[in-house]
């Protein structure tokens, strides 16, 4: 009797599974990036039906991992930088004191420092024995060095000056009289910023984000110092090309990654330029 009920239950579960649409079945069997993946593991995109065959014809597994990780790292570098870059850009656009050059120098320092030097400083700070990396690893279990988080941090620091500079220019183009009118109508500083300043500078913020994204995709020196060059874990497109050209026949085999890097850079720069020109046309109108 018990065996009959078990058989009936199994058949019911099978019939229920067959009745589900194919996308639901596929989605239920896929890993959710934010639900399953831990901070210290290598990121993976959710596989799509048939995508493995298409990707396998264009790239090797190692090449696709490098492309996937580069996009992941660049995205997080921009997302993590924006909450600091937006208020800092606004502050630099509105602050008129002569000592402002000190802050601008500190912000633009990663732009002129050799990326390897920037990576060395980050490694000293965020390594396992560093002043910031040690407490993060001990108390929160977050490993910065030699992980994809370190790659995102290095890319974010190097691209941060480009983002802040573009955002500062965008806020400088916002008429301060409009902010003054909003304040006379009872809006506080935060309300004025969110309802007037930020919407008017929004295209400039997007342009700065795209520019930082393009720079993050091409980051090499700071990344290899802080995150290393671990295939499938911290190896991005630039570090993968660096590894390939050191092997026999690697110069020709790295051509696909070089082409992808050029196409991604051209696409993001084109979008950034379009947004910047629209902003300039709006200001001149």
């Amino acid at each position: 009797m018990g065996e009959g009920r078990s058989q009936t239950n199994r058949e019911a579960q099978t019939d229920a599974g067959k009745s589900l649409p194919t996308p639901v079945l596929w989605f239920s069997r896929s890993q959710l990036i934010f639900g399953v993946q831990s901070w210290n593991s290598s990121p993976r995109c959710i596989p799509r039906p048939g995508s493995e065959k298409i990707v396998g014809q264009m790239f090797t597994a190692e090449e696709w991992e490098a492309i996937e990780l580069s996009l992941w790292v660049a995205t997080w570098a921009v997302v993590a930088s924006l909450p600091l870059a937006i208020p800092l850009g606004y502050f630099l656009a509105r602050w008129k004191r002569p000592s402002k050059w000190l802050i601008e120098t500190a912000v633009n320092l990663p732009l002129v420092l050799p990326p390897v030097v920037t990576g060395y400083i980050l490694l000293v700070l965020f390594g396992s024995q560093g002043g910031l990396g040690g407490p993060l690893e001990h108390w929160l279990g977050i490993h910065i060095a030699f992980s994809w988080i370190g790659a995102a941090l290095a890319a974010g620091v190097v691209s941060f000056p480009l983002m802040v500079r573009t955002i500062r220019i965008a806020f400088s183009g916002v008429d301060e009289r409009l902010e003054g009118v909003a304040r006379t109508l009872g809006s506080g500083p935060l309300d004025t910023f969110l309802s007037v300043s930020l919407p008017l500078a929004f295209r400039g913020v997007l342009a700065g984000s795209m520019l930082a994204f393009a720079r993050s995709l091409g980051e090499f020196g700071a990344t290899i110092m802080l995150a290393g060059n671990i295939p499938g874990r911290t190896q991005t497109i630039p570090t993968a090309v660096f590894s390939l050209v050191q092997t026999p026949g690697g110069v020709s085999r790295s051509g696909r990654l070089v082409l992808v890097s050029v196409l991604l850079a051209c696409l993001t720069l084109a979008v950034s330029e379009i947004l910047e020109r629209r902003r300039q046309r709006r200001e001149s109108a």
Side-chain angles (χ1 to χ4, degrees):
M1 187 68 177
E3 294 178 356
R5 290 180 179 176
S6 300
Q7 180 67 22
T8 302
N9 291 336
R10 285 194 296 267
E11 291 176 355
Q13 293 172 359
T14 303
D15 292 338
K18 290 180 179 179
S19 65
L20 290 174
T22 301
V24 176
L25 284 174
W26 160 74
F27 187 81
S28 65
R29 293 169 186 171
S30 302
Q31 291 184 345
L32 295 176
I33 294 177
F34 295 104
V36 178
Q37 176 186 305
S38 66
W39 276 105
N40 297 316
S41 62
S42 178
R44 291 290 183 270
C45 289
I46 299 176
R48 290 170 174 80
S51 62
E52 294 86 354
K53 184 178 180 180
I54 297 175
V55 170
Q57 293 174 352
M58 299 176 60
F59 307 100
T60 64
E62 292 78 12
E63 290 171 345
W64 180 245
E65 284 182 344
I67 295 171
E68 183 184 37
L69 185 61
S70 295
L71 294 173
W72 177 269
V73 165
T75 300
W76 273 106
V78 172
V79 170
S81 299
L82 271 175
L84 180 59
I86 291 176
L88 185 57
Y90 179 79
F91 172 76
L92 292 175
R94 292 291 182 260
W95 205 39
K96 306 301 182 182
R97 296 185 179 181
S99 57
K100 184 176 69 173
W101 71 271
L102 292 172
I103 301 176
E104 290 180 335
T105 299
V107 171
N108 294 322
L109 196 59
L111 194 62
V112 295
L113 278 178
V116 174
V117 174
T118 303
Y120 171 81
I121 296 173
L122 292 175
L123 183 61
V124 171
L125 291 175
F126 291 96
S128 298
Q129 306 299 324
L132 298 176
L136 285 173
E137 185 173 338
H138 178 74
W139 295 106
L140 300 178
I142 299 177
H143 302 270
I144 302 295
F146 305 106
S147 68
W148 73 266
I149 306 176
L153 175 62
V157 170
V158 173
S159 63
F160 189 73
L162 296 175
M163 179 185 290
V164 173
R165 176 169 296 191
T166 307
I167 293 175
R168 177 179 61 82
I169 295 173
F171 279 121
S172 297
V174 176
D175 194 341
E176 295 186 41
R177 292 175 297 181
L178 298 175
E179 299 175 344
V181 170
R183 293 187 179 181
T184 59
L185 294 175
S187 296
L190 182 59
D191 291 337
T192 302
F193 175 78
L194 295 176
S195 61
V196 178
S197 307
L198 186 58
L200 292 175
F202 185 68
R203 287 180 179 175
V205 174
L206 286 180
S209 300
M210 297 303 297
L211 192 62
F213 183 83
R215 180 63 185 88
S216 298
L217 285 174
E219 172 50 36
F220 173 77
T223 300
I224 204 168
M225 286 293 293
L226 181 61
N229 186 18
I230 308 172
R233 185 176 176 88
T234 64
Q235 189 176 72
T236 57
I237 293 177
T239 56
V241 172
F242 175 75
S243 298
L244 283 173
V245 297
Q246 297 183 79
T247 60
V251 174
S252 59
R253 288 188 291 114
S254 62
R256 289 188 296 268
L257 287 178
V258 172
L259 179 60
V260 170
S261 181
V262 172
L263 291 177
L264 288 174
C266 290
L267 178 61
T268 52
L269 287 176
V271 173
S272 176
E273 185 65 22
I274 291 172
L275 292 172
E276 184 64 20
R277 288 187 179 184
R278 287 183 178 179
R279 183 187 66 82
Q280 292 176 355
R281 284 199 299 266
R282 186 196 63 195
E283 292 178 358
S284 60

